[in-house]
Amino acid sequence: MKIDCIAIDDEPLALDIIRDYSQKIPYLNLLKTFDNALESLDFLKHNKVDLLLLDIQMDDLTGIQLLNIIKQKPLVIFTTAYDKFAVQGFELEALDYLLKPISFERFIKAIDKAFDRLASHAEPVVVENPIIKNANASTSDDFFFVKTEFHLEKVRFSDILFIEGMGDYLLIQTTTVRIMTLQNFKKIEDAIPTGQFCRVHKSYIVALDKINKIERNRIYIGQKIIPISDTYKKSFYDLLEGKKLI
């Protein structure tokens, strides 16, 4: 799944930063940028947009005024230098509120919120045999294919950080991309090599070699915090002990 978005900001430098950040996120498709809100109105009337990256304080038409005009409102992330609009922004059900200067880490967290929101409302895609390759069939295999939307995505086991259940979907988070597939945990567990991955919660499978730390029954993989549930706690710690990792 990709997020189709536009950015509206009257500061050229702010738009340059958004373009740069957007190019680094594979699942974000920046369709167009505008340096004033009026010019964006015609585009929004004739194009489907999932997300607005929207400045507030602009000449002629502010970001808030623009939102009041639009009938079919996309998700909105405000990008502004003024924190005084935060309350008003959230009253308009903005997904996030980014204060300038915006760091890449903060930007990607906001985009992830949009991804999760859109994924939770996506129409299920019915797929037969969404896992194409069973990794257990051959010890030489280091990848498998999953069906996502209308194509097959190759996934290397060494790239997987964790797998998360999200309603009818599974999110496979790799080092480079997020992959959504209509799948259940049983089939994914059959496809991944035992000993390299472990189920730690009803909604999570983790790659053991990607764990940064474990603290108070929480697993840290990068910025992601994953809970260890009572149901899977013993098997997880037994696996670590058996592999002499603790």
Side-chain angles (χ1 to χ4, degrees), residues 138-176:
S138 171
T139 56
S140 64
D141 294 335
D142 62 355
F143 64 90
F144 66 130
F145 289 94
V146 294
K147 180 79 173 181
T148 173
E149 295 185 305
F150 303 107
H151 66 277
L152 297 175
E153 189 88 19
K154 182 179 182 178
V155 183
R156 293 191 179 279
F157 299 128
S158 59
D159 291 339
I160 297 173
L161 300 178
F162 60 86
I163 300 167
E164 179 180 355
M166 301 178 67
D168 294 328
Y169 286 84
L170 287 184
L171 163 67
I172 302 174
Q173 177 67 65
T174 76
T175 54
T176 58

Side-chain angles (χ1 to χ4, degrees), residues 134-136 138-139 141-144 157-158 160 188-198:
N134 186 335
N136 292 329
S138 171
T139 56
D141 294 335
D142 62 355
F143 64 90
F144 66 130
F157 299 128
S158 59
I160 297 173
I188 205 82
E189 284 179 303
D190 289 342
I192 57 180
T194 57
Q196 187 175 336
F197 297 88
C198 185

